[in-house]
Amino acid sequence: MGRAAAAAAVLAAAAACAVAGVAVGRRVSSRRKWGRVIDVLKELEEGCDTPVGRLKQVVDAVAVEMHAGLASEGGSKLRMLLTFVDNLPSGREKGTFYALDLGGTYFRVLRVQLGGQRSSILSHDVERQPIPEHLMTGRTKDLFDFIASVFKQFVEREESGSGYPLDRRRDLGFTFSFPVKQTSVSSGILMKWTKGFAIEDMVGKEVVACLQEAFTRNGLDVRVAALVNDTVGTLALGHYHDADTVAAVIIGTGTNACYVERTDAIIKCQGLLTTSGGMVVNMEWGNFWSSHLPRTSYDVDLDADSPNPNDQGFEKMISGMYLGEIVRRVILRMTLESDIFGPVSSKTPLMAAMHEDDSPDLTEVERILRDILEVRDVPLKVRKLAVNVCDVVTRRAARLAAAGIVGILKKIGRDGSGGIVSGRSRPDTRMRRTVVAIEGGLYTNYGMFREYLNEAVVEILGEEVAQHVILRETEDGSGIGAALLAASNSSRNVDTVQML
Ligand code: BGC
């Protein structure tokens, strides 16, 4: 080999070495980056851990806070609001009733025909419309005019179809799913907004009066016979189908629960008399807080950036409005540690689709990352990582909701701690069949969430007790239940709730 040839060979070898060196360097640096991403995941898993011992602490904290919220006004972050619903629908309700449902992603109008026997809903028609975003943060009048005009169009169509005159008086249940301080079953004052609504001039106002004024402006003759929270509608429908239903839970855009409480346990309202001896209490559990909740830096940041910081802490760990945002924040952090994702945004329904992708090469995850989050060419192991993040966040949410449910059962003595059915040992303390009605998109449409929640209830209660507890999905309780409550309240001439 001549000198020149030798030099060329050395140069080529050097170049080859340099290329190989860069490749090795890249591999080393990408391995390092991947390691950092895995650290982020591990840290998330640890931060979101909900072993059964911790869940039991949350159960106890829920029960304690329920007592405190019932003992005095403002005694707990759980507001434990009176609903003035003392009798749940019996099944004898008959006739045509209407419901308006405001509080989720859609505004809905329903007409429900009741047949006069338990579980005899003859028919129900629903119309739903997305709530224009500007109305969620605009003025009271505009929101209620929108509601009244959608209702007007609904009854105008009905009138042309059935000869039902527009000016005929209609009885209606209004589902308004925000914290309301009720003054009767059909009146109440908005305490604060949640779930992204923020109409300043509405806080402190009488909700039904705002609606009635809008009806009058639109020439409608409507009697609002019941003002209800969506949980209360769900409980009403649950109880209509199954008289053992004692509580209801919503896990959708927001989250909350209500249950039937003995009036003598509502200490903050002494002298409250009802014919049934009980009353439905709207817990507003979205605002529950306890130091036992597994809070991560993502939760802290999400809260600080939200329109309602230091508020609705439980809701921000559980409900659909926030889970996707937590996932987005985790993925963003992973992106800062490495460049595996690039800039991203994420929403909860996509999160469910990614999480539930059971194809071997995660094609749905790939599609969502590519088409919606505009992140291309994501290798399988990174797709798996995205699924892991969804899993950790969802599992924590579902297990905390389960602890909330068992907390209610504990408060009303249905958690088996007084002993269970059988036997010679404690024949006096029977664990009664206990039904909890559940609704909301996260529970209904997100199979993994549902599985984790159901599983955690059994884990906390133990299998023997859990056999007596039935979590029952109701369909459209927030709407149909409000119509049922309008029916039971319009047929009663005498108000059965009295304050002494
Ligand atoms: C509201 C509750 C409602 C729940 C579910 C929460 O944000 O404060 O009143 O029941 O969402 O819709």
Side-chain angles (χ1 to χ4, degrees), residues 30 63 83 127 193 244 265 291 315 319 391 397 448 469 477 492:
S30 89
T83 62
E127 172 166 329
W193 289 107
D244 287 338
S291 57
E315 178 160 272
S319 79
D391 186 64
M448 299 289 279
V469 175
R492 277 194 281 157

Side-chain angles (χ1 to χ4, degrees), residues 103 177-179 194-195 229-231 250 254-256 284 312 315:
S177 304
F178 301 96
T194 56
K195 295 176 284 198
N229 188 262
D230 49 1
T231 54
I250 301 277
T255 185
N256 190 13
E284 285 296 331
Q312 299 293 102
E315 178 160 272

Side-chain angles (χ1 to χ4, degrees), residues 134-148:
H134 68 277
L135 294 183
M136 292 166 61
T137 51
R139 292 183 316 155
T140 306
K141 182 174 171 294
D142 298 334
L143 177 67
F144 282 88
D145 276 342
F146 164 77
I147 294 174

Side-chain angles (χ1 to χ4, degrees), residues 136-354:
M136 292 166 61
T137 51
R139 292 183 316 155
T140 306
K141 182 174 171 294
D142 298 334
L143 177 67
F144 282 88
D145 276 342
F146 164 77
I147 294 174
S149 71
V150 176
F151 185 61
K152 189 172 183 178
Q153 287 158 23
F154 185 85
V155 295
E156 275 170 353
R157 270 197 301 281
E158 172 183 59
E159 184 193 20
S160 59
S162 68
Y164 215 69
L166 187 62
D167 58 2
R168 182 186 178 280
R169 172 165 275 214
R170 288 163 167 89
D171 276 332
L172 174 147
F174 183 28
T175 308
F176 184 75
S177 304
F178 301 96
V180 168
K181 188 171 173 50
Q182 300 228 196
T183 39
S184 76
V185 73
S186 57
S187 59
I189 288 156
L190 175 66
M191 302 167 75
K192 66 175 187 185
W193 289 107
T194 56
K195 295 176 284 198
F197 280 72
I199 303 171
E200 289 308 321
D201 69 335
M202 174 78 199
V203 176
K205 277 199 181 149
E206 170 57 64
V207 178
V208 173
C210 295
L211 182 61
Q212 290 285 9
E213 282 160 23
F215 282 146
T216 308
R217 284 194 295 273
N218 281 269
L220 289 161
D221 186 8
V222 183
R223 191 179 90 95
V224 181
L227 171 67
V228 301
N229 188 262
D230 49 1
T231 54
V232 181
T234 300
L235 180 58
L237 183 64
H239 192 268
Y240 181 72
H241 288 310
D242 187 332
D244 287 338
T245 310
V246 294
V249 175
I250 301 277
I251 313 172
T253 310
T255 185
N256 190 13
C258 74
Y259 72 107
V260 182
E261 182 56 277
R262 294 187 338 264
T263 41
D264 61 2
I266 309 177
I267 313 234
K268 65 181 172 184
C269 224
Q270 276 184 6
L272 186 66
L273 275 188
T274 65
T275 45
S276 66
M279 183 178 281
V280 177
V281 172
N282 167 12
M283 293 173 62
E284 285 296 331
W285 87 3
N287 201 35
F288 167 70
W289 191 253
S290 153
S291 57
H292 298 300
L293 292 174
R295 197 177 203 210
T296 66
S297 60
Y298 306 104
D299 302 301
V300 174
D301 294 348
L302 177 147
D303 181 53
D305 295 346
S306 72
N308 53 347
N310 293 319
D311 205 25
Q312 299 293 102
F314 201 46
E315 178 160 272
K316 285 172 182 162
M317 285 185 164
I318 292 180
S319 79
M321 178 145 182
Y322 302 100
L323 294 195
E325 175 58 17
I326 300 175
V327 169
R328 189 189 68 82
R329 283 171 184 267
V330 177
I331 290 182
L332 197 68
R333 165 90 192 279
M334 290 175 162
T335 306
L336 294 178
E337 295 292 337
S338 76
D339 46 11
I340 53 169
F341 284 109
V344 283
S345 71
S346 163
K347 298 208 171 81
T348 305
L350 306 176
M351 179 181 154
M354 289 209 283

